Amino acid sequence: MADDRNFRSHYYEKVGFRGVEEKKSLEILLKEQPLDLQRLSQFCLRFPLPTTFREIVWKVLLGMLPAHQSIHEFVTEQRTKQYEDLEHALHVMRKIDNTTPLPTVFLHMYCIEEGRFIFDDIQLKNEVESKVFMGMAGVFLEMLNDNRVDAYWLTKGFYKLQEKHKDIINILCEQTEVYLKKEAPNLYNHLAAVNTLQALPCRAWFSTCFTNVLPEGVIERVWDVIIGGSYKVMVDISVALLMALERPLLKLTNTNDIIKCLLQEVSKTI
C-alpha cells in the first residue's frame, strides 16, 4: 500500500500535480474532531498550505477559532459581534469615521482590547509596534479581499505570535551572519570590511515577518511556516535575498548605498 502511494506521489509530481497527496492528507486532518493543532502545525512546517485551506488552518492555529469544529459557527458569530461593538465604540468616540483606513481602525481596536488606548493619534501611528501591526493588517486585508472581521482577528493573532517571539530576533540576526558566512563568504567578508553587517535590515525584516518586503504569493508561504511554529525560515529567506543581490552589493562600499540597494532591489529578485 505504501509503495502504491509513493508511486502515485511520484507520478503526480511528474505530470505537474505535485502536492496532491499533501492536499489529501490535509483534508483528512481537517476532518478530525477535535482538530489536532500539533499535526496541523507540523503540516505547515513541511508543506505549503493549499490556498483553499489556508484561511481555516490559520484561523485555528492563530486562535481565532477553537479546535472543536462543532462550535465554529457560534464563535464566528461572537467574533463578528465583538468586532462590530469595537467599531461602534470608536465611532462614538469619534476616533474613526467611514474614511479611516482599515489598518488604522484595527490598530485602535487592538489598543482598546489590550487596555492601552492612546488618544494622541500621531503618537500612536508613529510607534514602531503600530507600524508593524498596521503593515500586517494590510497584508491580511489584501489576502482576504477586505473581509474586515476575519482580517482583524487574524492580524491580532499573528501580531501576538510575533510579539511572543520577538526576544529571539537577536539570535536570528546572529544566525543570519553565521549562515551568510558559510554560504556566501565573499559577500560576508565584503560587508564586514565596510562595517555594514550590523546595519543590514534583517532586524526589520524579522520584526515585521517580511511585511512590505515579500510580494503576495510568496509571503503567505513564509507565514505558513511561521504560524506553524518555526522562525528559522526567516534566516533562510534573509540569506537567500542577500545572496541574490551579491553581485551589485560587492560593488558598493558605502553603508547607505548598500542599504538603499537592498531596500530597492529585494522585491525585484523574487
Side-chain angles (χ1 to χ4, degrees):
M1 186 69 177
D3 289 341
D4 177 60
R5 188 176 68 83
N6 291 336
F7 169 78
R8 284 187 284 112
S9 298
H10 179 70
Y11 172 76
Y12 285 138
E13 290 186 13
K14 285 292 186 182
V15 297
F17 288 96
R18 181 179 179 137
V20 171
E21 289 294 293
E22 287 83 354
K23 184 177 180 180
K24 289 182 178 179
S25 298
L26 182 56
E27 288 175 345
I28 294 172
L29 289 178
L30 291 174
K31 290 178 181 177
E32 292 185 348
Q33 294 287 354
L35 295 170
D36 189 323
L37 302 188
Q38 183 175 355
R39 292 180 68 187
L40 285 175
S41 295
Q42 290 172 347
F43 186 95
C44 290
L45 297 178
R46 294 183 62 193
F47 311 109
L49 286 171
T51 304
T52 50
F53 297 121
R54 177 171 283 123
E55 187 175 332
I56 182 64
V57 173
W58 282 10
K59 285 180 178 180
V60 172
L61 292 181
L62 290 175
M64 178 181 171
L65 292 175
H68 293 274
Q69 298 191 67
S70 59
I71 58 174
H72 277 192
E73 183 177 351
F74 171 75
V75 172
T76 298
E77 291 174 356
Q78 296 304 305
R79 295 288 192 192
T80 301
K81 186 177 186 304
Q82 189 174 354
Y83 176 94
E84 292 171 347
D85 288 344
L86 287 168
E87 189 176 54
H88 177 69
L90 290 170
H91 276 289
V92 171
M93 290 186 289
R94 297 183 179 179
K95 296 299 297 181
I96 64 171
D97 56 34
N98 293 332
T99 66
T100 305
L102 285 175
T104 303
V105 174
F106 290 1
L107 177 62
H108 283 303
M109 288 181 173
Y110 180 73
C111 288
I112 289 178
E113 288 200 289
E114 293 298 302
R116 56 176 299 270
F117 192 74
I118 299 175
F119 286 92
D120 187 335
D121 286 356
I122 297 178
Q123 176 189 341
L124 177 63
K125 291 180 182 179
N126 285 334
E127 290 183 356
V128 174
E129 293 82 1
S130 296
K131 293 178 180 179
V132 171
F133 185 93
M134 289 191 291
M136 292 176 175
V139 174
F140 279 113
L141 282 164
E142 186 173 357
M143 288 181 187
L144 299 172
N145 297 317
D146 288 334
N147 182 329
R148 59 180 64 193
V149 175
D150 287 353
Y152 171 68
W153 291 111
L154 286 175
T155 299
K156 178 182 176 181
F158 190 64
Y159 180 77
K160 279 185 167 292
L161 178 66
Q162 180 269 344
E163 282 282 285
K164 190 192 311 182
H165 294 90
K166 67 180 182 180
D167 291 340
I168 69 169
I169 288 180
N170 286 336
I171 297 175
L172 295 177
C173 290
E174 293 171 2
Q175 290 178 343
T176 299
E177 289 190 23
V178 172
Y179 190 20
L180 181 65
K181 185 176 183 179
K182 176 183 177 182
E183 297 296 325
N186 289 339
L187 178 59
Y188 174 88
N189 291 333
H190 174 71
L191 294 175
V194 296
N195 298 314
T196 303
L197 282 173
Q198 299 302 316
L200 294 175
C202 297
R203 181 175 296 277
W205 291 346
F206 298 153
S207 64
T208 63
C209 299
F210 290 99
T211 300
N212 298 324
V213 177
L214 299 178
E216 184 179 3
V218 176
I219 195 168
E220 295 98 317
R221 298 203 171 194
V222 175
W223 285 11
D224 285 344
V225 180
I226 294 173
I227 292 172
S230 174
Y231 265 52
K232 184 182 178 299
V233 66
M234 295 199 291
V235 173
D236 299 331
I237 297 294
S238 295
V239 173
L241 291 175
L242 291 169
M243 290 175 63
L245 293 171
E246 180 171 5
R247 183 173 298 178
L249 291 177
L250 288 175
K251 298 176 181 179
L252 302 173
T253 57
N254 179 275
T255 297
N256 290 333
D257 292 338
I258 291 174
I259 302 304
K260 183 179 179 180
C261 175
L262 283 172
L263 297 178
Q264 290 181 344
E265 300 298 324
V266 158
S267 61
K268 299 178 184 178
T269 67
I270 303 170

